[in-house]
Amino acid sequence: KQVYWEFNMMYSAAHIAHYFLTGPGRDGRFGVLTNMKLQKLVYYTKVWSLIDGNNIVHEPIYRWEHGPVSSDLYRILKKNGKSEIPTIEGAWSDLDPHAALIADIVMYTYGRLSAFELSDLTHSEDPWSSTLPNNEITSQVITEYYSKHPFAVNFPVGDDRPFHPLMTQSAHAYTFDMTEETRNSMGVYASFTEYKHIVDLTLEAGSVFRRS
């Protein structure tokens, strides 16, 4: 069956999560994908697709104790407890090319953080902290905050433009013993493809992330 994709398509949180499981996260290089970690990856997919101008996650995201959560996805995955998620029954993983690019950027940006590191990160950001418990983190709140975030410079996405990686506390820790020149050289890549290639090589080697 031939599929014709159109931009501005929206997907369920389960479909986005299944893409992570069967796509960039399929070989375990980004660690164990649990309910909690997948929830945060889906949240950031919604975040950056909103900033991109094409929201691709149609379910609302709520403020729960351990961070942003899709309640629909939680109901599907809760039977797994805190264990690794092997697959999501009934979900399909095909995304249109633009949505897949955003999801890949999210995985390669946030996927190397643990579930608890991702939870802490969301807690440090205004959309979670300013939303009342169990209330929806609205698209308006997300857009107002993340449009001013340094990482927003990458959007709208396109693989023909420079890519600026997210500098989390973990990323800063990796660069602690580098020279200032080396640190500065890591600030921008020619494209997301270049950044992805460097990360792939690093993960395959099992070494600390550094740009040559």
Side-chain angles (χ1 to χ4, degrees):
K1 181 180 178 180
Q2 190 171 6
V3 178
Y4 295 91
W5 296 114
E6 295 181 4
F7 287 170
N8 302 318
M9 291 186 65
M10 297 183 76
Y11 304 89
S12 71
H15 291 152
I16 299 293
H18 195 59
Y19 175 80
F20 287 131
L21 290 170
T22 59
R26 67 186 179 279
D27 54 9
R29 293 177 305 155
F30 290 99
V32 176
L33 295 179
T34 60
N35 187 350
M36 184 174 174
K37 184 165 181 175
L38 285 170
Q39 291 282 0
K40 306 305 169 277
L41 294 174
V42 168
Y43 169 67
Y44 280 116
T45 302
K46 187 177 186 76
V47 163
W48 295 116
S49 67
L50 278 166
I51 302 305
D52 185 69
N54 298 283
N55 180 19
I56 63 175
V57 183
H58 69 69
E59 287 111 332
I61 302 291
Y62 297 95
R63 174 190 162 152
W64 283 18
E65 179 182 359
H66 296 297
V69 168
S70 160
S71 57
D72 289 346
L73 181 61
Y74 179 81
R75 283 192 290 270
I76 293 171
L77 300 183
K78 66 179 181 179
K79 64 182 179 182
N80 296 279
K82 298 180 181 179
S83 301
E84 181 175 9
I85 306 298
T87 188
I88 301 177
E89 295 180 6
W92 40 273
S93 57
D94 289 335
L95 304 180
D96 70 80
H98 194 75
L101 176 58
I102 294 174
D104 285 349
I105 287 173
V106 168
M107 178 61 95
Y108 277 82
T109 297
Y110 297 95
R112 287 174 292 151
L113 300 177
S114 71
F116 288 100
E117 287 174 320
L118 287 169
S119 176
D120 288 344
L121 182 60
T122 60
H123 284 196
S124 73
E125 297 172 337
D126 287 355
W128 182 89
S129 62
S130 65
T131 300
L132 293 175
N134 301 317
N135 277 244
E136 180 183 355
I137 303 175
T138 67
S139 295
Q140 180 180 353
V141 169
I142 288 173
T143 302
E144 287 178 353
Y145 176 78
Y146 289 100
S147 62
K148 302 171 185 175
H149 195 288
F151 194 67
V153 70
N154 294 305
F155 300 90
V157 295
D159 207 37
D160 57 348
R161 55 182 298 181
F163 181 77
H164 301 255
L166 178 72
M167 292 303 290
T168 62
Q169 290 182 348
S170 297
H172 280 297
Y174 293 153
T175 67
F176 182 77
D177 61 346
M178 296 181 183
T179 66
E180 183 176 357
E181 180 181 0
T182 302
R183 263 196 307 274
N184 291 339
S185 72
M186 295 176 64
V188 62
Y189 292 78
S191 65
F192 173 68
T193 295
E194 182 197 27
Y195 177 75
K196 179 176 179 290
H197 177 66
I198 296 294
V199 174
D200 282 337
L201 291 177
T202 303
L203 293 173
E204 289 168 7
S207 60
V208 172
F209 172 53
R210 300 189 179 206
R211 186 183 182 193
S212 59

